[in-house]
Amino acid sequence: MSWKLKKFNDLTNIELYTLLQERTSVFVVEQNCPYLEVDGKDPQSYHLFKEEDGEIVAYLRILPAGVSYQEASIGRVFVKREFRGQGIAEELLRKGLDFIQNELKENTVKIQAQDYLRKFYGSFGFRAISDTYLEDNIPHVDMLLQHTGYDVDDIN
C-alpha cells in the first residue's frame, strides 16, 4: 500500500473520480445521509489517500486556513469498511496532522467531528469546543487541536 498527498490540480481524472465515488459511498450511502458531498472546497484542498492495488482504502481532505474555518482543518476522513480495525485511521490522521504542522506551518486545527469519534480525535489532542449538535441528522461536535511544540509521532 502506498500513501499519496496531492493538491487538487495534481490528481488524475481517475483518482478524482475514485475519491469522489468512495466519499459518496461512505458519507451518503453507508451513513444514509443525502447531502451535497461535493461542496466546492476540494480545489483549495490537499488530498491524502492510501491506495492498494489501485483501490483507495483511506482518505482525508486537508483544508488550509481560511477555507472552512479561520484555522486549518481536516475533513471527509474515511477508511473503507473492509480495511477498518487495522490502525489505518490513526496512521492517516497522524500523516495529515504532520503535514499541517510541518508543511503548512499551522499550529491550530479545527474539525467538525461526528460525535461518536470524539474519543478517537481526543487521543490526538483535539478538545471539544461545542456542545453536540445535529448536522445532516448525525450528531457532531466541533473540536480544536492546538499544537504545543510536540512531535505528531509522539501521539498515542
Side-chain angles (χ1 to χ4, degrees), residues 57-148:
V57 301
Y59 170 86
L60 67 70
R61 176 170 77 173
I62 299 168
L63 302 105
V67 176
S68 280
Y69 305 109
Q70 195 172 355
E71 305 85 357
S73 186
I74 288 175
R76 301 297 199 262
V77 181
F78 77 80
V79 175
K80 284 185 77 167
R81 186 184 309 248
E82 56 270 29
F83 292 90
R84 294 177 189 161
Q86 301 175 25
I88 296 172
E90 290 84 358
E91 186 179 3
L92 174 66
L93 193 58
R94 197 172 295 112
K95 286 182 178 298
L97 292 174
D98 182 65
F99 178 79
I100 290 171
Q101 184 180 11
N102 296 315
E103 300 299 323
L104 298 183
K105 305 296 185 200
E106 294 290 341
N107 294 321
T108 307
V109 181
K110 184 175 181 180
I111 62 172
Q112 182 185 49
Q114 291 187 15
D115 194 51
Y116 82 95
L117 292 168
R118 182 189 296 239
K119 186 176 178 182
F120 171 75
Y121 288 112
S123 73
F124 285 87
F126 282 92
R127 61 179 176 80
I129 58 168
S130 75
D131 292 330
T132 300
Y133 58 90
L134 287 180
E135 177 79 21
D136 297 315
N137 225 17
I138 297 174
H140 281 75
V141 62
D142 293 339
M143 301 186 83
L144 196 69
L145 172 66
Q146 293 183 305
H147 296 295
T148 56

